[in-house]
Amino acid sequence: NADAIPLADVLPAWIEALPIRSDHMEDLPVYDAICYLLKNKRAEIEPFLPILTPVLKQAMESADTLFSDESRQYLASL
């Protein structure tokens, strides 16, 4: 539930830690959550789009990054 999380406080640190480079078990929930925020046009994520866009592209290009099928399709469509 995105409303239960103080996104304005959490997003800067969370996005700064991307892309995930070691513990790829975290990939699925992290990238699914980012896709959720993007799909639902959450205003809190908009200021981070210039940083997030190349990070997501880098993650998509890595063979090590895990995505759900839905998230992979959504991110590929951006």
Side-chain angles (χ1 to χ4, degrees):
N1 181 357
D3 293 328
I5 299 169
L7 292 174
D9 297 330
V10 173
L11 283 175
W14 192 39
I15 290 171
E16 186 176 312
L18 296 176
I20 297 170
R21 292 189 170 87
S22 59
D23 187 3
H24 290 285
M25 294 303 293
E26 298 291 325
D27 288 349
L28 292 171
V30 166
Y31 293 114
D32 282 352
I34 290 171
C35 287
Y36 172 84
L37 294 172
L38 292 169
K39 286 180 193 177
N40 290 285
K41 302 186 186 328
R42 295 295 301 245
E44 297 91 345
I45 201 160
E46 287 180 23
F48 300 100
L49 290 178
I51 299 165
L52 195 54
T53 301
V55 166
L56 291 173
K57 183 178 182 203
Q58 182 182 359
M60 290 281 291
E61 292 171 350
S62 172
D64 295 328
T65 305
L66 303 173
F67 292 96
S68 65
D69 290 340
E70 183 179 342
S71 289
R72 182 175 296 282
Q73 290 173 353
Y74 178 75
L75 292 172
S77 74
L78 296 179

